[in-house]
Every structure is written in C-alpha cells, then in structure tokens.
Amino acid sequence: MKKLLVLLSILLISLLAACGSDDHVIKIGATSTPHAEVLEKAKPILEEEGITIEIEEYSDYNLLNLDLDEGTIDANYFQHIPFFEKDINDPKKGYDLVNLGGVHIEPMGVYSKNITSVDNIPEGTEVIISRNDPDHYRILQLFEAQGLIKIADDADTAYPSQEDIVENPLNLQFLFGEVNAEFLIEAYNNEADALVAINTNYAIEAELSPLEDALFIEGEESDYVNIIAARAEDKDNEDLKKVVEVLQSEEIQNFIIDNYNGAVVPVGGNN
C-alpha cells in the first residue's frame, strides 16, 4: 500500500510538472514571410527567457483575428494598424483584441510585367488591387505621391472608389477588390500590361525584390505598421510583453534590416 501511494505521488508530481511546463508556451499565428521568419529568429532568444513560442502559419488573413478571438492562438503577427482597427471596430465580428506593439512596416509596391517605368504607363492602364479594404486608400495615396492622380479632399478613406479620384490624367482604371491578396502574384504574372499593387510579403515569397522590381514603393514614413495583437484579457500578460520586447529589440530589428534589404522596415517600439 505504501509503495502504491509513493507511485501515485510520483505520478501526480509528474502530471503537475507537465501541466506547469505549458505555462510559458505562447501560440502565435502568423503569415509566412516575413512574420513567421522573424518569429523563428526570436524563438531562441525567448527560450533563454523561459518562453516557448509555437508558430502557426496562415495563408488566409481573415482567419487570424477570428482564431485569436476564439482562443485557438494566443497572439497574432500579420496585420497593419488600419486592418486591425477596421476588424475590431466591425460590430458584426465583435472582436475584443488589443494592439501590443509595432514591429515593422512592409512598404506597398506597384509592379508590372511589361510597364518598365512610371513615365511609360499607357493611358487607360488597369490597376489591380486586392480585396483587402484597408489597403485601398493606402494604394491611392501611393499613386498620388507619384503625381499620377489626385484624391478628393472628402474621399471615403475606408471604402474609396474611382469616384474619389478628382484628377486622373492617364485615366487609370482602379479595379478595387478584384482578387484576394494571396492571388496578386498570379495577377501580376497573367496581366502583363496591368499595374498590380502587391503587399511586400507576397512579393518576397514570389522572389520579387520590392526595392528593385517595383515601379514605385512606399517610403519609410508609412503609417501601416505591422503589430502583435492579443485578446484584451491578455494585455498585461508578462510573457506576451516579453515577446513584443524581444521583437522590438536591437537584435531582431537588425535582423530585419540585414535580411530584407529595405523591403521590410523595422519600427522598434515607436508604434
């Protein structure tokens, strides 16, 4: 009987230890490039702090905040601030999420197979834009910065359309929401005479160099900072704070600079 009690005690201690080992495991949802790559770089640093991160890679933007809100993952790293704010302010979704801090910017670029310079854009050229609504006004601003269009002062910044363009000398045809973001590269390859606005992560995955291959690209002053998001109930979670601290550290910021050659721009703790 005594031996049985000892064995049961050992078993109970082992079970408790096993349960306790999960206390510092953080499951983070991320898109593959550059988010999952940056997290992989941070992984050993966090392990030294006693925190294990499990990286769940996603290809569909629309699932990441849903899974976070439902508790499938503990945090996510894929979205810029306007996308995040649009999602959490959508009454149909009812997400209770918070921004824990910014890590980097992925400048949006405009690409074309056959058009080789801004000066050679033909009149009536189609501009293919993804269905990601928060990027639409951002892309119009990018074209305005090149002097290709002028946006109305009272433009609908949430859901802009062709009607929000008051000057368009080349009669560019903006095709808002024609394709999902993950199919932008396919559009770029198939629509050789079009302009395609491509998110940097997809450009990198397709082995395009944003700084060399884009006709034009956002500057470092972009407001579209990619963040770590978590549930509101976890806003003071020390392990999640440590994850953000490491991602904003000099080591990780230097990794971003060295690894992506300006196609991904670190922002540290400034956002």
Side-chain angles (χ1 to χ4, degrees):
M1 186 66 175
K2 187 175 181 180
K3 289 183 178 179
L4 179 60
L5 289 172
V6 170
L7 287 172
L8 287 172
S9 297
I10 293 172
L11 180 61
L12 179 60
I13 291 169
S14 298
L15 287 171
L16 289 172
C19 292
S21 65
D22 290 335
D23 287 349
H24 299 284
V25 175
I26 302 292
K27 188 177 290 187
I28 304 177
T31 43
S32 57
T33 305
H35 307 85
E37 295 168 353
V38 174
L39 289 171
E40 285 289 353
K41 181 68 177 178
K43 206 170 187 177
I45 303 172
L46 287 161
E47 285 176 354
E48 292 177 3
E49 301 284 346
I51 298 170
T52 299
I53 59 171
E54 295 178 355
I55 305 164
E56 298 286 334
E57 291 194 31
Y58 287 70
S59 59
D60 187 346
Y61 283 170
N62 297 308
L63 294 177
L64 277 146
N65 281 335
L66 174 64
D67 282 0
L68 175 58
D69 189 67
E70 292 183 346
T72 304
I73 52 179
D74 302 307
N76 67 41
Y77 175 35
F78 79 101
Q79 64 194 318
H80 54 58
I81 292 172
F83 184 99
F84 172 77
E85 290 180 345
K86 178 177 179 292
D87 246 17
I88 64 172
N89 290 320
D90 186 338
K92 294 179 181 178
K93 296 179 178 178
Y95 296 152
D96 192 17
L97 308 177
V98 292
N99 170 3
L100 295 184
V103 181
H104 74 267
I105 296 166
E106 296 172 31
M108 177 74 73
V110 174
Y111 301 77
S112 178
K113 278 282 189 180
N114 287 346
I115 300 170
T116 57
S117 77
V118 174
D119 294 334
N120 294 326
I121 298 173
E123 186 173 348
T125 295
E126 293 184 340
V127 181
I128 298 174
I129 299 173
S130 81
R131 291 193 176 100
N132 184 20
D133 291 335
D135 279 338
H136 292 177
Y137 188 70
R138 172 188 193 182
I139 292 164
L140 290 185
Q141 288 179 304
L142 184 54
F143 275 79
E144 186 176 56
Q146 291 295 316
L148 294 169
I149 64 170
K150 181 172 176 55
I151 306 169
D153 292 337
D154 60 350
D156 184 347
T157 59
Y159 299 101
S161 67
Q162 189 84 20
E163 286 68 38
D164 289 310
I165 302 170
V166 293
E167 293 181 20
N168 187 1
L170 292 176
N171 192 30
L172 300 176
Q173 300 301 303
F174 290 84
L175 306 181
F176 294 92
E178 288 290 304
V179 298
N180 288 336
E182 60 266 29
F183 296 123
L184 287 169
I185 294 299
E186 185 176 333
Y188 164 75
N189 287 323
N190 293 337
E191 304 293 335
D193 294 321
L195 297 172
V196 187
I198 304 177
N199 305 78
T200 291
N201 57 320
Y202 291 120
I204 293 171
E205 286 176 13
E207 298 184 351
L208 291 171
S209 170
L211 295 182
E212 295 177 6
D213 297 324
L215 287 181
F216 48 97
I217 194 168
E218 280 178 316
E220 297 181 7
E221 71 282 355
S222 171
D223 294 327
Y224 290 77
V225 177
N226 281 232
I227 63 170
I228 296 291
R231 289 182 294 281
E233 65 194 56
D234 292 327
K235 66 182 179 65
D236 295 319
N237 181 287
E238 292 301 323
D239 288 347
L240 286 172
K241 286 183 177 180
K242 179 58 69 173
V243 169
V244 175
E245 180 183 321
V246 168
L247 290 173
Q248 293 177 345
S249 68
E250 184 176 356
E251 182 172 352
I252 295 301
Q253 300 285 284
N254 285 339
F255 166 77
I256 292 172
I257 293 169
D258 295 339
N259 204 55
Y260 299 108
N261 298 315
V264 182
V265 180
V267 299
N270 297 324
N271 290 273

